[in-house]
Amino acid sequence: MKLPKYLLVLTILLSFSQRTHAQEEKITVEDALKQEKIEGQFDMVIKKSGRYQEYKVIKQVWINKLKSNVTDTLKTLEAKLNTSNQQIAEQKNTITGLQESLAKTNGDLSTVTNEKDSMSLLGASVTKASYNTIMWLIIGALLAILGFFIFKFKNSNAITVQAKKALAETEEEFEDHRRRSLEREQKVMRKLQDEINKQRKTGAK
């Protein structure tokens, strides 16, 4: 009695597997070149390319589209890199300004420490303790702002390093693929030329 149930479950699983496989087969190279990441596009083009003996023959339209996609990706990474560099430059200027302001405040604090207990702050007379408290509060605020911009600077620098790494990897991947494609194309052309020469020699006999 249990055997038909097992057969039913097995039939359902096989049907689901075949449907999933059929859906995967429906994905064309053109779709992959529009949707997949660069690595996935390379894999799909290589997978769907024809074969000539031990070589892969890639359609011209596919390799042109792949080249266009890689170029667009490189341009996007370069744009992100330029934006990150601009942000880093702006943050460096801000940090420099904050450091100068902090140094000036510290200098003012040192000068005031050596003066009398009673002093004038913005036209108002305050005690030395009150003045010191206000100045330390200002220094604390400046240090907090400086710390924030240093954090932002380090974060932007990490993004820049990552973008540079991704750009270098993509360029290396594209150059390697272009070189291998050119070598394969040259080998295929030499094979074809050899075959043509053989045919000519055979016809001449």
Side-chain angles (χ1 to χ4, degrees):
M1 295 297 291
K2 293 183 179 180
L3 184 59
K5 292 183 179 180
Y6 290 140
L7 290 176
L8 178 61
V9 172
L10 181 60
T11 302
I12 293 173
L13 290 175
L14 287 174
S15 175
F16 178 79
S17 176
Q18 290 174 353
R19 189 179 300 113
T20 303
H21 182 71
Q23 290 175 351
E24 291 176 351
E25 288 298 325
K26 290 180 181 178
I27 300 176
T28 64
V29 175
E30 287 74 14
D31 292 335
L33 290 175
K34 294 177 182 177
Q35 301 171 5
E36 297 287 339
K37 294 182 179 180
I38 293 298
E39 183 178 357
Q41 293 179 21
F42 274 111
D43 292 340
M44 180 60 75
V45 168
I46 293 172
K47 178 181 177 182
K48 295 293 185 178
S49 296
R51 284 186 173 276
Y52 177 78
Q53 296 182 2
E54 72 271 25
Y55 305 107
K56 281 283 189 177
V57 180
I58 303 175
K59 289 184 179 180
Q60 186 70 33
V61 66
W62 293 354
I63 197 68
N64 288 340
K65 180 61 178 176
L66 191 58
K67 177 182 178 182
S68 175
N69 291 347
V70 171
T71 302
D72 291 342
T73 300
L74 292 176
K75 288 181 180 178
T76 300
L77 289 173
E78 287 174 349
K80 289 182 179 179
L81 183 61
N82 291 335
T83 301
S84 297
N85 287 335
Q86 184 178 357
Q87 291 176 349
I88 289 173
E90 292 174 354
Q91 290 169 0
K92 278 184 178 179
N93 292 334
T94 303
I95 290 172
T96 299
L98 289 171
Q99 288 173 335
E100 292 174 356
S101 178
L102 181 61
K104 184 178 182 302
T105 302
N106 283 331
D108 293 340
L109 180 61
S110 298
T111 302
V112 170
T113 302
N114 297 325
E115 295 180 354
K116 297 179 180 179
D117 290 339
S118 181
M119 55 194 67
S120 178
L121 177 64
L122 299 177
S125 180
V126 295
T127 63
K128 182 178 180 180
S130 298
Y131 185 88
N132 287 343
T133 300
I134 293 172
M135 294 304 292
W136 279 113
L137 286 174
I138 293 174
I139 290 173
L142 289 173
L143 286 173
I145 295 172
L146 178 62
F148 172 76
F149 277 100
I150 289 175
F151 170 77
K152 294 289 288 182
F153 169 77
K154 289 183 177 180
N155 188 46
S156 297
N157 190 51
I159 293 173
T160 300
V161 170
Q162 185 178 3
K164 286 181 178 178
K165 182 179 178 181
L167 177 61
E169 289 176 351
T170 304
E171 289 177 339
E172 182 179 353
E173 181 183 359
F174 175 72
E175 181 61 26
D176 183 62
H177 182 76
R178 186 192 66 79
R179 178 182 56 76
R180 285 185 285 138
S181 296
L182 183 60
E183 289 175 355
R184 287 196 297 268
E185 184 177 347
Q186 289 174 347
K187 288 180 180 179
V188 169
M189 293 301 295
R190 284 197 296 269
K191 289 274 188 180
L192 289 174
Q193 187 61 47
D194 290 341
E195 290 295 329
I196 290 172
N197 292 337
K198 289 180 180 179
Q199 293 297 327
R200 287 178 178 174
K201 289 179 180 180
T202 302
K205 292 178 180 180

